[in-house]
Amino acid sequence: MARPERMRRLSLRRQLLVPLVWMWLLGLAAAVAVASWLSTAGANAAFDRGLQDETVALAAKLVWTDRGPLLDISRQALELLNWDGETPNRFVLLDESGQVLAGDATLPRPALRHQSFGQPQLFDAEFQGQRVRGAQFSLRSPMLDRSVTVIKLEASSKRSRLLRDVSLAMVLPTLSIALLTVALLNWGIRRGLAPLRAVAREVERRAPDDLRSLPIEGVPAEVAPLIERINSLLADVQQSVAVQRRFVADAAHQLRTPVAGLRVLTQELASELSQYQGVQASAWQPVLTALLQSSDRLARLIGQLLSLVRSQSAPQIALQNAHGQAAYQDLRPLLREAAEPFALRAARQGRSLLLELPNQPVLARADSLWLGEALANVLDNALRYGGNQMLVTVRALADAVQIDIEDDGAGVAPADLPRLTEAFWRGERADTRSDDSSGGSGLGLTIAYEVIARLGGTWSVQTRPEFAGLRVRWVLPSR
């Protein structure tokens, strides 16, 4: 399954960090390569210079006698020359015919004789199964027409160990600094993006109708114009919503008087017509009855519109007393008072509405007017579209109060549950008649939902097959 688009997008922190890390890695690789080459070249040059100096120093011990060239060097010095720790340091002294005059006769002999009279010549070779580095130096007798060649060898393992030690001494601190640099880069980017995350959390916490300006303090200068533009759009939307709500409220308020007058005139007309003996009631009674019903529905719709506008216009329903402390109320009398008219109405229709309340007080932070309005709207919806049995149950939880409003009607389709609190949406209830004589306005559950949200509670709905009918559940905080 493909991930959502927002999950596939790279975060801004990653988009900033990844190029920096790649550039840093390339720079680090180049720096390590150059440093390794320089250290290798420097170490080899130092070892080569030392090997040449040892070869020249060994040649300086040569003495020309009547019996031929002799090496004037002590036995202890020879032992030091032939062995240096764990690595062989061998030499050999050859005459011009290649005869061994002193040293190790098994040493390799490169063809550098004619090139090594001026200065020692370096060469690489294999000796006793390992790589060696050698220097060859030839010199002539100042009086005799004779020459000798000095060959000095040392194992390459000494250089390898030194280069390894130098590399470790260079790489380990470099890697430590590298990790610290990446951590600092990550920390710096996260710190720079912290104001944006704070704005995102602020937007996530807000209700859909919370159109206050977003905080701009601490936001980077590059992002400030975007936040300011968003705040400008929020202000425009807030003004537009306020204008719409004010228009609906004004229109509904202005319509109440003519609608009431229409009802009074209809009743007066019915009274006048009933006095004329020549006019049969069957001719005018259905028309006036339908006119009265329509005026009643219109009056109810206007009242619901006013309630909806009032519930949406209040940012937060007052839940504090005069001293600024949280106002806790016993919900039992509030719910009983709101449910009583609907219980009588259900009894007249041959149906039942039961209210199950605990014996002990059930305290919660609530507003009596608005909570009663919410319950009245849900019960009215149940009486219009529900079954014959309705039940309101109140339970005290650890830190909240749970209120269930249930009916045994046909319920709604599970796919329609998210639209149940949508304004003017009435759905396809099983007992909704095509003539729309139920009188519902499609605003009752919307008003109830707005009220519960502003009381700080939660709203959930269950229907078939989870519940046999429809259950509206509220959970109001009690502390």
Side-chain angles (χ1 to χ4, degrees):
M1 182 180 294
R3 292 185 299 173
E5 181 64 25
R6 69 188 186 103
M7 296 297 292
R8 292 197 298 266
R9 295 172 183 165
L10 291 176
S11 65
L12 181 58
R13 180 172 66 90
R14 187 173 180 182
Q15 294 184 53
L16 291 173
L17 186 61
V18 168
L20 290 175
V21 170
W22 274 113
M23 292 176 60
W24 176 84
L25 286 176
L26 292 176
L28 177 65
V32 170
V34 172
S36 178
W37 178 80
L38 289 176
S39 62
T40 301
N44 284 331
F47 272 99
D48 288 345
R49 175 64 64 182
L51 181 61
Q52 289 176 322
D53 291 343
E54 289 178 3
T55 306
V56 173
L58 188 62
K61 295 293 184 178
L62 186 67
V63 177
W64 298 92
T65 66
D66 296 338
R67 293 180 298 171
L70 297 175
L71 197 60
D72 186 14
I73 188 170
S74 65
R75 183 177 182 85
Q76 291 79 5
L78 285 175
E79 292 177 352
L80 290 175
L81 286 174
N82 289 331
W83 195 261
D84 182 13
E86 297 180 356
T87 58
N89 245 340
R90 307 296 178 85
F91 81 97
V92 65
L93 179 65
L94 305 174
D95 62 10
E96 57 189 4
S97 62
Q99 297 295 322
V100 177
L101 301 178
D104 190 344
T106 62
L107 265 61
R109 306 174 187 182
L112 300 173
R113 180 177 179 83
H114 299 290
Q115 304 174 17
S116 60
F117 280 97
Q119 61 180 3
Q121 297 295 313
L122 299 169
F123 64 92
D124 294 307
E126 291 279 345
F127 179 65
Q128 295 181 353
Q130 59 178 315
R131 297 288 299 174
V132 293
R133 182 77 164 166
Q136 177 175 296
F137 184 55
S138 301
L139 67 163
R140 298 181 184 276
S141 169
M143 295 177 294
L144 303 175
D145 188 17
R146 298 182 64 181
S147 64
V148 294
T149 299
V150 179
I151 298 177
K152 181 75 168 57
L153 293 183
E154 67 178 14
S156 299
S157 56
K158 292 172 59 176
R159 303 181 181 215
S160 301
R161 284 199 301 269
L162 178 62
L163 291 176
R164 181 190 62 193
D165 295 340
V166 170
S167 299
L168 288 176
M170 178 181 61
V171 170
L172 291 180
T174 302
L175 289 179
S176 301
I177 296 174
L179 294 176
L180 180 61
T181 303
V182 172
L184 289 175
L185 282 175
N186 186 48
W187 174 80
I189 292 175
R190 286 182 63 85
R191 185 172 181 272
L193 297 177
L196 297 182
R197 291 196 298 273
V199 172
R201 287 194 297 269
E202 173 68 19
V203 173
E204 187 177 2
R205 284 195 301 265
R206 290 189 179 186
D209 56 350
D210 189 351
L211 301 176
R212 293 173 297 158
S213 298
L214 297 174
I216 199 170
E217 293 79 9
V219 173
E222 293 80 3
V223 187
L226 174 62
I227 304 298
E228 291 175 351
R229 181 56 182 161
I230 292 176
N231 288 337
S232 177
L233 292 176
L234 289 175
D236 293 342
V237 172
Q238 190 172 16
Q239 182 179 4
S240 175
V241 171
V243 169
Q244 292 178 8
R245 289 175 177 172
R246 185 166 58 249
F247 169 77
V248 173
D250 293 343
H253 182 74
Q254 294 297 326
L255 286 173
R256 296 181 71 176
T257 300
V259 169
L262 178 62
R263 178 177 177 78
V264 172
L265 290 175
T266 303
Q267 292 174 344
E268 290 292 333
L269 180 60
S271 177
E272 291 290 335
L273 289 177
S274 64
Q275 297 178 5
Y276 289 96
Q277 301 295 331
V279 180
Q280 296 182 358
S282 60
W284 53 267
Q285 190 67 41
V287 176
L288 293 183
T289 301
L291 186 59
L292 284 173
Q293 292 177 347
S294 297
S295 63
D296 289 340
R297 288 188 57 199
L298 184 57
R300 174 174 173 76
L301 176 60
I302 292 172
Q304 293 282 58
L305 283 173
L306 286 174
S307 296
L308 178 62
V309 171
R310 286 196 300 266
S311 66
Q312 292 179 340
S313 299
Q316 184 177 4
I317 297 174
L319 298 176
Q320 296 178 341
N321 55 26
H323 302 287
Q325 299 174 347
Y328 294 92
Q329 301 188 52
D330 185 2
L331 300 186
R332 296 180 302 167
L334 306 181
L335 299 176
R336 188 181 294 112
E337 181 181 357
E340 185 175 354
F342 295 93
L344 297 175
R345 179 175 156 189
R348 288 194 296 268
Q349 298 175 3
R351 303 156 74 186
S352 66
L353 170 59
L354 299 178
L355 187 63
E356 292 186 357
L357 300 174
N359 296 327
Q360 296 79 19
V362 182
L363 300 179
R365 286 179 293 173
D367 182 89
S368 58
L369 177 63
W370 285 106
L371 185 61
E373 177 80 10
L375 181 61
N377 280 285
V378 177
L379 290 178
D380 180 77
N381 184 81
L383 282 173
R384 293 179 186 277
Y385 306 110
N388 294 323
Q389 305 291 328
M390 286 153 285
L391 177 64
V392 179
T393 307
V394 180
R395 295 183 179 89
L397 305 179
D399 55 356
V401 175
Q402 177 179 299
I403 303 173
D404 290 336
I405 305 103
E406 307 171 356
D407 70 71
D408 60 349
V412 298
D416 292 334
L417 286 181
R419 303 191 61 190
L420 203 59
T421 57
E422 185 178 317
F424 299 108
W425 185 85
R426 300 176 63 189
E428 295 295 336
R429 303 294 292 268
D431 52 352
T432 302
R433 294 181 289 275
S434 59
D435 60 359
D436 200 22
S437 61
S438 63
S441 62
L443 293 175
L445 295 184
T446 305
I447 295 172
Y449 178 80
E450 293 286 343
V451 169
I452 296 302
R454 279 161 176 73
L455 287 174
T458 60
W459 170 295
S460 60
V461 183
Q462 287 182 307
T463 188
R464 300 176 187 273
E466 296 178 356
F467 181 78
L470 186 71
R471 172 193 285 163
V472 177
R473 172 169 292 175
W474 303 339
V475 179
L476 298 176
S478 61
R479 61 174 66 176

